[in-house]
Coordinates of all heavy atoms in Angstrom, one line a residue:
M29 N 11.8 -19.2 -19.9 CA 10.9 -19.4 -21.1 C 9.8 -20.5 -20.7 O 10.1 -21.4 -20.1 CB 11.7 -19.9 -22.3 CG 11.6 -18.9 -23.4 SD 12.7 -19.0 -25.0 CE 13.1 -20.7 -25.2
G30 N 8.6 -20.0 -21.2 CA 7.4 -21.0 -20.9 C 7.0 -20.9 -19.5 O 6.0 -21.6 -19.1
M31 N 7.5 -20.0 -18.7 CA 7.0 -19.8 -17.4 C 6.1 -18.7 -17.1 O 5.7 -18.3 -16.0 CB 8.3 -19.7 -16.4 CG 9.2 -21.0 -16.4 SD 8.4 -22.4 -15.7 CE 8.4 -21.9 -13.9
E32 N 5.9 -17.9 -18.3 CA 5.0 -16.6 -18.1 C 3.7 -17.0 -18.6 O 3.5 -17.7 -19.6 CB 5.6 -15.5 -18.7 CG 6.9 -15.0 -17.9 CD 7.5 -13.9 -18.7 OE1 7.0 -13.4 -19.9 OE2 8.6 -13.4 -18.2
W33 N 2.7 -16.6 -17.9 CA 1.3 -16.9 -18.1 C 0.5 -15.5 -18.4 O 0.8 -14.6 -17.7 CB 0.6 -17.6 -17.0 CG 1.3 -19.0 -16.8 CD1 2.5 -19.1 -16.2 CD2 0.8 -20.3 -17.2 NE1 2.8 -20.5 -16.2 CE2 1.8 -21.2 -16.8 CE3 -0.4 -20.7 -17.9 CZ2 1.4 -22.5 -17.0 CZ3 -0.7 -22.1 -18.0 CH2 0.3 -23.0 -17.6
Q34 N -0.5 -15.5 -19.3 CA -1.3 -14.3 -19.4 C -2.7 -14.8 -19.5 O -3.0 -15.7 -20.3 CB -0.8 -13.6 -20.6 CG -1.5 -12.2 -20.7 CD -0.9 -11.4 -21.9 OE1 -0.2 -11.9 -22.7 NE2 -1.0 -10.1 -21.7
I35 N -3.6 -14.2 -18.8 CA -5.0 -14.4 -18.8 C -5.7 -14.1 -20.2 O -5.3 -13.1 -20.8 CB -5.7 -13.8 -17.6 CG1 -7.0 -14.7 -17.3 CG2 -6.1 -12.3 -17.9 CD1 -7.6 -14.4 -15.9
K36 N -6.5 -14.9 -20.6 CA -7.2 -14.7 -22.0 C -8.0 -13.4 -21.9 O -8.6 -13.1 -20.9 CB -8.2 -15.7 -22.3 CG -7.6 -17.0 -22.8 CD -8.6 -18.0 -23.1 CE -8.0 -19.3 -23.7 NZ -8.9 -20.4 -23.8
E37 N -7.7 -12.6 -23.1 CA -8.6 -11.2 -23.1 C -10.1 -11.4 -22.7 O -10.6 -10.5 -22.0 CB -8.3 -10.6 -24.4 CG -8.9 -9.3 -24.7 CD -8.6 -8.1 -23.8 OE1 -7.5 -8.2 -23.3 OE2 -9.4 -7.2 -23.6
Q38 N -10.7 -12.4 -23.1 CA -12.1 -12.5 -22.9 C -12.3 -12.7 -21.4 O -13.5 -12.3 -21.0 CB -12.7 -13.7 -23.8 CG -12.4 -15.1 -23.3 CD -12.2 -16.1 -24.4 OE1 -11.4 -15.8 -25.3 NE2 -13.2 -17.0 -24.5
V39 N -11.5 -13.4 -20.6 CA -11.7 -13.4 -19.2 C -11.2 -12.1 -18.6 O -11.9 -11.5 -17.6 CB -10.8 -14.6 -18.6 CG1 -10.9 -14.6 -17.2 CG2 -11.2 -15.9 -19.4
R40 N -10.2 -11.4 -19.0 CA -9.8 -10.2 -18.5 C -10.7 -9.2 -18.5 O -10.9 -8.2 -17.7 CB -8.5 -9.8 -19.1 CG -7.6 -8.9 -18.3 CD -6.2 -8.6 -18.9 NE -6.1 -8.0 -20.2 CZ -6.1 -6.6 -20.4 NH1 -6.0 -5.8 -19.4 NH2 -6.0 -6.2 -21.6
R41 N -11.5 -9.2 -19.6 CA -12.6 -8.1 -19.8 C -13.6 -8.2 -18.8 O -14.3 -7.2 -18.5 CB -13.1 -8.1 -21.3 CG -12.5 -7.2 -22.2 CD -13.2 -7.2 -23.5 NE -12.7 -8.1 -24.5 CZ -13.3 -9.1 -25.0 NH1 -14.6 -9.3 -24.8 NH2 -12.8 -9.9 -25.8
L42 N -13.8 -9.3 -18.1 CA -14.7 -9.5 -17.0 C -14.3 -8.9 -15.6 O -15.1 -8.8 -14.8 CB -15.1 -10.9 -17.0 CG -15.8 -11.7 -18.1 CD1 -15.7 -13.2 -17.8 CD2 -17.1 -11.1 -18.4
A43 N -13.0 -8.7 -15.6 CA -12.5 -8.2 -14.2 C -12.7 -6.9 -14.0 O -12.8 -5.9 -14.8 CB -10.9 -8.6 -14.4
Q44 N -13.0 -6.7 -12.7 CA -13.1 -5.2 -12.1 C -11.9 -5.1 -11.2 O -11.7 -6.0 -10.4 CB -14.3 -5.1 -11.2 CG -15.6 -4.9 -12.2 CD -16.8 -4.9 -11.1 OE1 -16.7 -4.3 -10.1 NE2 -17.8 -5.5 -11.5
F45 N -11.2 -3.9 -11.2 CA -10.0 -3.8 -10.5 C -10.4 -2.7 -9.3 O -10.9 -1.7 -9.7 CB -8.8 -3.3 -11.2 CG -8.4 -4.4 -12.1 CD1 -8.8 -4.5 -13.4 CD2 -7.6 -5.3 -11.8 CE1 -8.5 -5.4 -14.4 CE2 -6.9 -6.3 -12.6 CZ -7.6 -6.4 -13.9
E46 N -10.1 -3.1 -8.1 CA -10.3 -2.0 -7.1 C -9.4 -2.4 -5.9 O -8.9 -3.6 -5.8 CB -11.8 -2.1 -6.5 CG -12.3 -3.3 -6.0 CD -13.7 -3.3 -5.7 OE1 -14.0 -2.7 -4.6 OE2 -14.6 -4.0 -6.2
T47 N -9.0 -1.4 -5.0 CA -8.3 -1.7 -3.8 C -9.1 -1.9 -2.6 O -10.4 -1.4 -2.6 CB -7.4 -0.6 -3.5 OG1 -8.2 0.6 -3.4 CG2 -6.4 -0.3 -4.6
F48 N -8.8 -2.9 -1.8 CA -9.5 -3.2 -0.6 C -8.7 -3.7 0.4 O -7.7 -4.6 0.3 CB -10.5 -4.2 -1.0 CG -11.3 -4.8 0.1 CD1 -12.2 -4.0 0.8 CD2 -11.1 -6.2 0.5 CE1 -12.9 -4.7 1.9 CE2 -11.9 -6.8 1.5 CZ -12.8 -5.9 2.2
D49 N -8.8 -3.2 1.6 CA -8.0 -3.6 2.8 C -8.7 -5.0 3.4 O -9.7 -5.0 3.9 CB -8.0 -2.6 3.9 CG -7.1 -3.1 4.9 OD1 -6.8 -4.2 5.3 OD2 -6.8 -2.1 5.8
L50 N -8.1 -6.0 3.2 CA -8.5 -7.3 3.7 C -8.9 -7.3 5.2 O -9.7 -8.3 5.5 CB -7.6 -8.4 3.3 CG -7.5 -8.9 1.8 CD1 -6.2 -9.6 1.6 CD2 -8.6 -9.7 1.4
R51 N -8.4 -6.5 5.9 CA -8.6 -6.5 7.4 C -10.0 -6.0 7.5 O -10.6 -6.0 8.6 CB -7.6 -5.7 8.1 CG -6.2 -6.3 8.1 CD -5.2 -5.4 8.6 NE -5.1 -4.2 7.7 CZ -4.1 -3.3 7.8 NH1 -3.3 -3.5 8.8 NH2 -4.1 -2.3 7.1
K52 N -10.6 -5.4 6.6 CA -12.0 -4.7 6.8 C -13.1 -5.7 6.5 O -12.8 -6.9 5.9 CB -12.2 -3.5 5.8 CG -11.1 -2.5 6.1 CD -11.8 -1.1 5.8 CE -10.9 0.0 6.4 NZ -10.4 0.9 5.4
N53 N -14.3 -5.4 6.9 CA -15.4 -6.3 6.6 C -15.7 -6.7 5.3 O -15.7 -5.9 4.5 CB -16.7 -5.6 7.4 CG -17.7 -6.6 7.5 OD1 -18.1 -7.5 6.9 ND2 -18.2 -6.3 8.8
F54 N -15.8 -8.0 5.1 CA -16.1 -8.4 3.6 C -17.7 -8.5 3.3 O -17.9 -8.7 2.1 CB -15.8 -10.0 3.6 CG -14.3 -10.1 3.3 CD1 -13.4 -9.5 4.0 CD2 -13.9 -11.1 2.3 CE1 -11.9 -9.7 3.9 CE2 -12.5 -11.4 2.2 CZ -11.5 -10.6 2.8
R55 N -18.5 -8.2 4.3 CA -20.0 -8.4 3.9 C -20.3 -7.5 2.7 O -19.9 -6.4 2.5 CB -20.7 -8.0 5.1 CG -21.6 -9.1 5.6 CD -22.3 -8.8 7.0 NE -21.3 -9.0 8.1 CZ -21.3 -8.3 9.2 NH1 -22.1 -7.5 9.5 NH2 -20.3 -8.7 10.0
G56 N -21.1 -8.1 1.9 CA -21.7 -7.4 0.6 C -20.7 -7.4 -0.5 O -20.9 -6.7 -1.5
R57 N -19.5 -8.0 -0.4 CA -18.4 -7.9 -1.5 C -18.7 -9.1 -2.4 O -18.0 -9.2 -3.4 CB -17.1 -8.0 -0.8 CG -16.8 -6.8 0.0 CD -15.4 -6.6 0.1 NE -14.7 -6.0 -1.1 CZ -14.8 -4.8 -1.3 NH1 -15.3 -3.9 -0.6 NH2 -14.0 -4.3 -2.5
G58 N -19.7 -9.9 -2.2 CA -20.0 -10.9 -3.1 C -19.5 -12.3 -2.7 O -18.8 -12.5 -1.8
Q59 N -20.0 -13.3 -3.5 CA -19.5 -14.7 -3.2 C -18.8 -15.2 -4.5 O -19.1 -14.8 -5.6 CB -20.8 -15.6 -3.1 CG -21.6 -15.3 -1.8 CD -20.8 -15.6 -0.6 OE1 -20.5 -14.7 0.2 NE2 -20.3 -16.8 -0.4
Y60 N -17.7 -15.9 -4.4 CA -16.8 -16.4 -5.4 C -16.7 -17.9 -5.5 O -16.7 -18.6 -4.6 CB -15.5 -15.6 -5.1 CG -15.7 -14.2 -5.1 CD1 -15.8 -13.6 -3.9 CD2 -15.6 -13.4 -6.2 CE1 -16.1 -12.1 -3.7 CE2 -15.8 -12.0 -6.1 CZ -15.9 -11.4 -4.8 OH -16.1 -10.0 -4.9
D61 N -16.3 -18.2 -6.8 CA -16.0 -19.7 -7.0 C -14.5 -19.9 -6.8 O -14.0 -21.0 -6.4 CB -16.3 -20.1 -8.4 CG -17.7 -20.0 -8.8 OD1 -18.5 -20.4 -7.7 OD2 -18.1 -19.6 -9.7
V62 N -13.8 -18.8 -7.0 CA -12.3 -19.0 -6.7 C -11.7 -17.7 -6.1 O -12.1 -16.6 -6.6 CB -11.5 -19.5 -7.9 CG1 -11.7 -18.6 -9.0 CG2 -10.1 -19.9 -7.7
I63 N -10.8 -17.8 -5.2 CA -10.1 -16.5 -4.7 C -8.6 -16.8 -4.7 O -8.2 -17.8 -4.3 CB -10.6 -16.2 -3.3 CG1 -12.0 -15.9 -3.1 CG2 -9.7 -15.1 -2.7 CD1 -12.6 -15.7 -1.8
F64 N -7.8 -16.0 -5.4 CA -6.4 -16.1 -5.4 C -5.9 -15.0 -4.3 O -6.2 -13.8 -4.5 CB -5.9 -15.7 -6.8 CG -6.3 -16.7 -7.8 CD1 -7.5 -16.5 -8.6 CD2 -5.5 -17.8 -8.1 CE1 -7.8 -17.3 -9.7 CE2 -6.0 -18.7 -9.1 CZ -7.0 -18.5 -9.7
C65 N -5.2 -15.6 -3.4 CA -4.7 -14.6 -2.3 C -3.1 -14.9 -2.1 O -2.8 -15.4 -1.0 CB -5.5 -14.7 -1.0 SG -5.2 -13.4 0.0
R66 N -2.4 -14.6 -3.1 CA -1.0 -15.1 -3.2 C -0.2 -14.2 -2.4 O 0.1 -13.0 -2.8 CB -0.6 -15.3 -4.5 CG 0.7 -15.8 -4.9 CD 1.0 -15.9 -6.3 NE 2.4 -16.1 -6.7 CZ 3.2 -15.2 -7.2 NH1 2.7 -13.9 -7.5 NH2 4.3 -15.5 -7.6
N67 N 0.6 -14.7 -1.4 CA 1.6 -13.8 -0.7 C 1.2 -12.6 0.0 O 1.8 -11.6 -0.2 CB 2.8 -13.7 -1.7 CG 3.6 -15.0 -2.1 OD1 3.4 -15.9 -1.5 ND2 4.3 -15.0 -3.2
V68 N 0.0 -12.5 0.3 CA -0.7 -11.4 0.9 C -0.7 -11.6 2.5 O -0.3 -10.7 3.3 CB -2.0 -11.1 0.4 CG1 -2.7 -10.0 1.2 CG2 -2.0 -10.8 -1.1
L69 N -1.0 -12.8 2.9 CA -1.2 -13.1 4.4 C 0.2 -13.2 5.2 O 0.2 -13.3 6.4 CB -2.0 -14.3 4.6 CG -3.4 -14.2 4.0 CD1 -4.2 -15.5 4.2 CD2 -4.2 -13.0 4.5
I70 N 1.3 -13.1 4.3 CA 2.6 -13.3 4.9 C 3.0 -12.1 5.9 O 3.7 -12.3 6.8 CB 3.7 -13.5 3.9 CG1 3.6 -12.4 2.8 CG2 3.7 -15.0 3.3 CD1 4.7 -12.6 1.7
Y71 N 2.2 -11.1 5.7 CA 2.6 -9.8 6.6 C 1.7 -9.8 7.7 O 1.9 -9.0 8.6 CB 2.2 -8.6 5.7 CG 3.0 -8.5 4.4 CD1 2.5 -8.8 3.3 CD2 4.4 -8.3 4.5 CE1 3.1 -8.6 2.1 CE2 5.2 -8.2 3.3 CZ 4.5 -8.4 2.1 OH 5.2 -8.3 1.0
S72 N 0.7 -10.7 7.9 CA -0.3 -10.7 9.0 C 0.2 -11.6 10.2 O 0.6 -12.6 9.9 CB -1.6 -11.1 8.6 OG -2.1 -10.4 7.5
N73 N -0.2 -11.1 11.4 CA 0.0 -12.0 12.5 C -1.1 -13.0 12.5 O -2.0 -13.0 11.7 CB 0.1 -11.2 13.8 CG -1.2 -10.6 14.2 OD1 -2.3 -11.0 13.8 ND2 -1.1 -9.3 14.7
L74 N -1.0 -14.0 13.3 CA -1.8 -15.2 13.5 C -3.2 -14.8 13.5 O -4.1 -15.3 12.8 CB -1.4 -16.2 14.4 CG -2.1 -17.6 14.4 CD1 -1.9 -18.3 13.0 CD2 -1.6 -18.5 15.5
D75 N -3.5 -13.9 14.5 CA -4.8 -13.4 14.8 C -5.6 -12.8 13.5 O -6.7 -13.1 13.1 CB -5.0 -12.5 15.9 CG -5.0 -13.3 17.3 OD1 -5.1 -14.4 17.2 OD2 -4.9 -12.4 18.3
T76 N -4.8 -11.9 12.9 CA -5.2 -11.3 11.6 C -5.4 -12.3 10.6 O -6.5 -12.4 9.8 CB -4.2 -10.2 11.3 OG1 -4.0 -9.2 12.3 CG2 -4.8 -9.3 10.1
K77 N -4.5 -13.2 10.4 CA -4.4 -14.2 9.4 C -5.8 -15.0 9.7 O -6.5 -15.3 8.5 CB -3.3 -15.1 9.4 CG -3.0 -15.9 8.3 CD -1.6 -16.5 8.4 CE -1.3 -17.7 7.6 NZ 0.1 -18.1 7.7
R78 N -6.0 -15.4 10.8 CA -7.2 -16.2 11.1 C -8.4 -15.5 10.6 O -9.5 -16.1 10.1 CB -7.4 -16.6 12.6 CG -6.5 -17.7 13.0 CD -6.6 -18.2 14.3 NE -5.9 -19.5 14.6 CZ -5.2 -19.6 15.8 NH1 -5.1 -18.6 16.6 NH2 -4.5 -20.7 15.8
R79 N -8.5 -14.3 11.0 CA -9.8 -13.4 10.7 C -10.0 -13.3 9.2 O -11.0 -13.5 8.6 CB -9.7 -12.1 11.4 CG -10.8 -11.8 12.4 CD -10.8 -10.4 13.0 NE -9.4 -10.0 13.5 CZ -8.7 -8.9 12.9 NH1 -9.1 -8.2 12.1 NH2 -7.6 -8.6 13.5
I80 N -8.9 -13.0 8.6 CA -9.0 -12.8 7.0 C -9.4 -14.1 6.4 O -10.2 -14.2 5.5 CB -7.6 -12.3 6.5 CG1 -7.5 -10.8 6.9 CG2 -7.7 -12.3 4.9 CD1 -6.1 -10.2 6.6
L81 N -8.7 -15.2 6.8 CA -9.1 -16.5 6.2 C -10.5 -16.9 6.4 O -11.1 -17.5 5.6 CB -8.1 -17.7 6.8 CG -6.8 -17.6 6.1 CD1 -5.8 -18.5 7.1 CD2 -6.6 -18.1 4.8
S82 N -10.9 -16.7 7.7 CA -12.4 -16.9 8.0 C -13.4 -16.0 7.0 O -14.3 -16.7 6.5 CB -12.6 -16.5 9.4 OG -14.0 -16.5 9.7
E83 N -12.9 -14.8 6.8 CA -13.7 -14.0 5.9 C -13.7 -14.5 4.4 O -14.7 -14.6 3.7 CB -13.3 -12.5 5.9 CG -13.4 -11.7 7.1 CD -14.9 -11.4 7.5 OE1 -15.6 -11.3 6.5 OE2 -15.2 -11.1 8.6
L84 N -12.4 -14.9 4.0 CA -12.3 -15.6 2.6 C -13.1 -16.8 2.5 O -13.8 -16.9 1.4 CB -10.8 -15.7 2.3 CG -9.9 -14.6 2.2 CD1 -8.4 -15.0 2.1 CD2 -10.2 -13.7 1.0
R85 N -13.1 -17.6 3.5 CA -13.8 -18.9 3.5 C -15.4 -18.5 3.3 O -16.1 -19.1 2.5 CB -13.6 -19.6 4.8 CG -14.5 -20.9 4.9 CD -13.8 -21.9 5.9 NE -13.4 -21.2 7.1 CZ -14.2 -20.8 8.2 NH1 -15.4 -20.9 8.1 NH2 -13.5 -20.3 9.2
G86 N -15.9 -17.5 4.1 CA -17.2 -17.1 4.0 C -17.5 -16.5 2.6 O -18.8 -16.4 2.3
A87 N -16.5 -16.1 1.9 CA -16.8 -15.4 0.6 C -16.8 -16.5 -0.5 O -17.0 -16.0 -1.7 CB -15.9 -14.2 0.4
L88 N -16.5 -17.6 -0.2 CA -16.5 -18.7 -1.2 C -17.8 -19.4 -1.3 O -18.5 -19.7 -0.3 CB -15.4 -19.8 -0.8 CG -14.0 -19.4 -1.1 CD1 -13.0 -20.5 -0.5 CD2 -13.6 -19.3 -2.7
N89 N -18.2 -19.7 -2.6 CA -19.3 -20.6 -2.7 C -19.0 -22.0 -2.4 O -17.8 -22.3 -2.4 CB -19.8 -20.6 -4.2 CG -20.4 -19.2 -4.6 OD1 -21.0 -18.6 -4.0 ND2 -20.1 -18.8 -5.8
P90 N -19.9 -22.9 -1.9 CA -19.6 -24.2 -1.6 C -19.0 -25.0 -2.8 O -19.3 -24.6 -4.0 CB -21.0 -24.9 -1.4 CG -21.9 -23.7 -1.0 CD -21.4 -22.6 -1.9
G91 N -17.8 -25.6 -2.7 CA -17.1 -26.2 -3.7 C -16.1 -25.2 -4.4 O -15.3 -25.5 -5.2
G92 N -16.1 -23.9 -3.8 CA -15.1 -22.9 -4.3 C -13.8 -23.1 -3.9 O -13.6 -23.8 -2.8
Y93 N -12.7 -22.5 -4.5 CA -11.3 -22.7 -4.0 C -10.7 -21.4 -3.6 O -10.9 -20.4 -4.2 CB -10.5 -23.3 -5.3 CG -10.9 -24.6 -5.7 CD1 -11.6 -24.9 -7.0 CD2 -10.8 -25.7 -4.9 CE1 -11.9 -26.1 -7.4 CE2 -11.1 -27.1 -5.2 CZ -11.7 -27.3 -6.5 OH -12.1 -28.4 -6.9
L94 N -9.8 -21.6 -2.7 CA -9.0 -20.4 -2.2 C -7.5 -20.9 -2.6 O -7.1 -22.1 -2.2 CB -9.1 -20.4 -0.7 CG -8.0 -19.3 -0.1 CD1 -8.1 -18.0 -0.5 CD2 -8.1 -19.4 1.5
L95 N -6.8 -20.1 -3.2 CA -5.4 -20.3 -3.6 C -4.5 -19.3 -2.9 O -4.8 -18.1 -3.0 CB -5.1 -20.4 -5.0 CG -5.7 -21.6 -5.7 CD1 -7.0 -21.3 -6.4 CD2 -4.8 -22.1 -6.8
L96 N -3.5 -19.9 -2.1 CA -2.5 -19.0 -1.4 C -1.2 -19.2 -2.3 O -1.1 -19.8 -3.2 CB -2.4 -19.5 0.0 CG -3.7 -19.5 0.8 CD1 -3.3 -20.1 2.2 CD2 -4.3 -18.1 0.8
G97 N -0.1 -18.4 -1.7 CA 1.2 -18.6 -2.3 C 1.8 -20.0 -2.0 O 1.3 -20.5 -1.1
A98 N 2.7 -20.3 -2.8 CA 3.3 -21.7 -2.7 C 4.0 -21.9 -1.3 O 3.9 -23.0 -0.8 CB 4.3 -21.9 -3.8
A99 N 4.4 -20.8 -0.7 CA 5.1 -21.0 0.6 C 4.2 -20.8 1.8 O 4.6 -21.0 2.9 CB 6.2 -20.0 0.7
E100 N 3.0 -20.4 1.5 CA 2.2 -20.1 2.6 C 1.3 -21.3 3.0 O 1.0 -22.2 2.3 CB 1.0 -19.1 2.1 CG 1.6 -17.7 2.0 CD 0.6 -16.7 1.4 OE1 0.1 -16.8 0.2 OE2 0.2 -15.7 2.1
T101 N 0.8 -21.3 4.2 CA 0.2 -22.6 4.9 C -1.0 -22.0 5.7 O -1.0 -20.9 6.2 CB 1.2 -23.4 5.5 OG1 0.4 -24.4 6.1 CG2 1.9 -22.7 6.5
M102 N -2.0 -22.9 5.7 CA -3.1 -22.5 6.7 C -2.9 -23.3 7.9 O -3.8 -23.1 8.8 CB -4.4 -22.7 6.0 CG -4.8 -21.9 4.9 SD -6.3 -21.4 4.6 CE -7.1 -23.1 4.8
V103 N -1.8 -24.0 8.1 CA -1.8 -24.7 9.4 C -1.9 -23.9 10.5 O -1.2 -22.7 10.5 CB -0.4 -25.5 9.4 CG1 -0.1 -26.2 10.6 CG2 -0.3 -26.5 8.2
N104 N -2.6 -24.2 11.6 CA -2.9 -23.4 12.7 C -3.8 -22.2 12.5 O -4.0 -21.4 13.5 CB -1.6 -22.9 13.5 CG -0.8 -24.1 13.9 OD1 -1.4 -25.2 14.3 ND2 0.5 -24.0 13.9
A105 N -4.1 -21.9 11.3 CA -4.9 -20.7 11.2 C -6.4 -21.0 10.6 O -7.3 -20.2 11.1 CB -4.2 -19.9 9.8
D106 N -6.6 -22.0 9.9 CA -8.0 -22.4 9.6 C -8.1 -23.7 9.0 O -7.4 -24.1 8.0 CB -8.5 -21.3 8.4 CG -10.1 -21.3 8.2 OD1 -10.6 -22.6 8.1 OD2 -10.6 -20.4 8.2
D107 N -8.9 -24.7 9.7 CA -8.8 -26.0 9.3 C -10.2 -26.4 8.7 O -10.5 -27.6 8.6 CB -8.6 -26.9 10.5 CG -9.5 -26.7 11.7 OD1 -10.4 -25.9 11.6 OD2 -9.3 -27.4 12.8
K108 N -11.1 -25.3 8.4 CA -12.3 -25.6 7.9 C -12.4 -25.7 6.4 O -13.5 -25.9 5.8 CB -13.3 -24.5 8.5 CG -13.4 -24.6 9.9 CD -14.6 -23.6 10.4 CE -14.6 -23.6 11.9 NZ -13.6 -23.0 12.5
L109 N -11.3 -25.6 5.7 CA -11.3 -25.7 4.2 C -10.6 -27.0 4.1 O -9.6 -27.3 4.7 CB -10.6 -24.7 3.6 CG -11.3 -23.3 3.6 CD1 -10.3 -22.2 3.2 CD2 -12.5 -23.3 2.6
R110 N -11.0 -27.8 3.0 CA -10.4 -29.0 2.7 C -9.1 -28.8 1.8 O -9.2 -28.1 0.7 CB -11.3 -30.0 1.9 CG -10.9 -31.4 1.8 CD -11.9 -32.3 1.5 NE -12.4 -32.2 0.1 CZ -12.2 -33.1 -0.8 NH1 -11.6 -34.2 -0.5 NH2 -12.7 -32.9 -2.0
R111 N -8.0 -29.4 2.2 CA -6.8 -29.0 1.4 C -6.6 -30.2 0.3 O -6.7 -31.4 0.6 CB -5.5 -29.2 2.4 CG -4.3 -28.9 1.9 CD -3.3 -28.9 3.0 NE -1.8 -28.4 2.5 CZ -1.0 -29.1 1.8 NH1 -1.2 -30.4 1.5 NH2 0.1 -28.7 1.5
L112 N -6.4 -29.7 -0.9 CA -6.2 -30.7 -2.0 C -4.9 -30.2 -2.9 O -4.7 -29.1 -2.8 CB -7.5 -30.5 -3.1 CG -8.9 -30.7 -2.5 CD1 -9.9 -30.2 -3.6 CD2 -9.1 -32.1 -2.3
E113 N -4.3 -31.2 -3.3 CA -3.2 -31.0 -4.3 C -3.7 -31.4 -5.6 O -4.1 -32.5 -5.8 CB -2.0 -32.1 -3.7 CG -1.5 -31.8 -2.4 CD -0.4 -30.8 -2.4 OE1 0.1 -30.4 -3.6 OE2 -0.1 -30.3 -1.3
I114 N -3.6 -30.4 -6.4 CA -3.9 -30.6 -8.0 C -2.9 -30.1 -8.7 O -2.5 -28.9 -8.8 CB -5.4 -30.0 -8.3 CG1 -6.3 -30.3 -7.2 CG2 -5.7 -30.2 -9.7 CD1 -7.7 -29.5 -7.4
G115 N -2.2 -31.0 -9.6 CA -1.1 -30.6 -10.3 C -0.1 -29.9 -9.8 O 0.5 -29.0 -10.3
G116 N 0.3 -30.4 -8.6 CA 1.5 -29.7 -7.9 C 1.0 -28.3 -7.2 O 2.0 -27.7 -6.5
A117 N -0.1 -28.0 -7.3 CA -0.7 -26.7 -6.6 C -1.6 -27.1 -5.4 O -2.2 -28.2 -5.4 CB -1.4 -25.8 -7.4
T118 N -1.5 -26.3 -4.4 CA -2.4 -26.6 -3.2 C -3.6 -25.7 -3.4 O -3.5 -24.5 -3.5 CB -1.6 -26.2 -1.9 OG1 -0.5 -27.0 -1.9 CG2 -2.6 -26.5 -0.7
F119 N -4.9 -26.3 -3.2 CA -6.1 -25.7 -3.3 C -6.8 -25.9 -1.9 O -6.6 -27.0 -1.3 CB -7.0 -26.2 -4.3 CG -6.7 -26.1 -5.7 CD1 -5.5 -26.6 -6.2 CD2 -7.4 -25.3 -6.5 CE1 -5.1 -26.3 -7.6 CE2 -7.1 -25.1 -7.9 CZ -6.0 -25.6 -8.5
Y120 N -7.5 -24.9 -1.4 CA -8.4 -25.1 -0.3 C -9.8 -24.9 -0.7 O -10.2 -23.9 -1.2 CB -7.9 -24.0 0.8 CG -6.7 -24.2 1.3 CD1 -5.5 -23.6 0.7 CD2 -6.3 -25.2 2.3 CE1 -4.3 -23.7 1.1 CE2 -5.1 -25.3 2.8 CZ -4.1 -24.6 2.2 OH -2.7 -24.7 2.5
E121 N -10.4 -26.1 -0.4 CA -11.9 -26.2 -1.0 C -12.9 -26.0 0.1 O -12.8 -26.5 1.3 CB -12.1 -27.7 -1.6 CG -13.5 -27.7 -2.3 CD -13.7 -29.1 -2.8 OE1 -13.2 -30.2 -2.1 OE2 -14.5 -29.3 -3.7
A122 N -13.9 -25.1 -0.1 CA -15.1 -24.7 0.7 C -16.1 -25.7 0.7 O -16.3 -26.4 -0.5 CB -15.7 -23.4 0.4
S123 N -16.7 -26.1 1.9 CA -17.7 -27.2 1.8 C -19.1 -26.5 1.8 O -19.1 -25.3 1.9 CB -17.7 -28.0 3.0 OG -17.5 -27.2 4.1
Ligands
SAM204 C1 4.3 -9.7 -1.8 S1 2.9 -8.8 -2.6 C2 2.1 -10.1 -3.5 C3 1.6 -9.5 -4.6 C4 0.9 -10.6 -5.6 N1 -0.3 -11.2 -4.9 C5 1.8 -11.6 -6.1 O1 1.6 -12.7 -5.6 O2 2.6 -11.2 -6.9 C6 2.0 -8.6 -1.1 C7 0.7 -7.8 -1.4 O3 -0.3 -7.9 -0.4 C8 -0.9 -6.7 -0.2 N2 -1.5 -6.5 1.1 C9 -0.8 -6.6 2.3 N3 -1.7 -6.5 3.3 C10 -2.9 -6.4 2.8 C11 -4.2 -6.0 3.2 N4 -4.5 -6.0 4.6 N5 -5.2 -5.9 2.4 C12 -5.1 -6.0 1.0 N6 -3.9 -6.3 0.4 C13 -2.8 -6.4 1.3 C14 0.2 -5.6 -0.6 O4 -0.4 -4.6 -0.9 C15 0.9 -6.3 -1.6 O5 0.4 -5.9 -3.0

């Protein structure tokens, strides 16, 4: 109880849903203030993970945040984002 969250309708209405293979080129997909990529990179080997993280970093606006799953880490994969702990969650901030 109290552990389920639902996004506000006014925010949800702004969303576009589409499928996309993260291993493909990100160019032209836009720039974002926040990217949620929870428990997706766990299936990738280190090289693929590095490539995807680099693309995700490139798709963030300066000061934008990348959020991964709680058990995921960027150690050894990408050190160009600043790691922050906010309210018990880990954020990776683009410069
Ligand atoms: C464990 S589920 C996590 C789903 C959701 N993000 C969550 O946290 O509940 C992993 C997801 O990663 C997606 N995925 C794995 N490799 C991917 C790739 N190369 N491109 C896009 N999505 C991928 C799978 O389709 C699956 O939906």
Side-chain angles (χ1 to χ4, degrees):
M29 241 173 26
M31 296 296 287
E32 290 180 2
W33 299 73
Q34 189 168 22
I35 200 159
K36 283 185 179 170
E37 178 58 25
Q38 70 216 62
V39 177
R40 199 166 68 89
R41 262 190 270 123
L42 299 171
Q44 283 176 36
F45 295 90
E46 60 181 289
T47 57
F48 173 62
D49 186 342
L50 288 163
R51 292 168 298 187
K52 298 215 168 120
N53 198 316
F54 277 43
R55 238 166 286 150
R57 297 199 75 82
Q59 293 297 121
Y60 301 92
D61 294 322
V62 61
I63 296 175
F64 296 90
C65 191
R66 176 177 173 256
N67 297 337
V68 174
L69 300 178
I70 47 179
Y71 303 107
S72 303
N73 63 33
L74 187 57
D75 277 354
T76 306
K77 197 170 163 177
R78 281 192 174 129
R79 242 181 314 115
I80 292 173
L81 284 168
S82 165
E83 294 282 344
L84 291 173
R85 177 162 40 79
L88 280 173
N89 289 321
Y93 294 116
L94 170 65
L95 286 100
L96 303 174
E100 290 178 291
T101 171
M102 295 213 314
V103 173
N104 297 326
D106 192 312
D107 59 2
K108 295 188 180 73
L109 292 164
R110 190 162 75 106
R111 189 177 187 277
L112 301 169
E113 296 276 340
I114 305 173
T118 303
F119 290 66
Y120 295 94
E121 186 183 31
S123 50

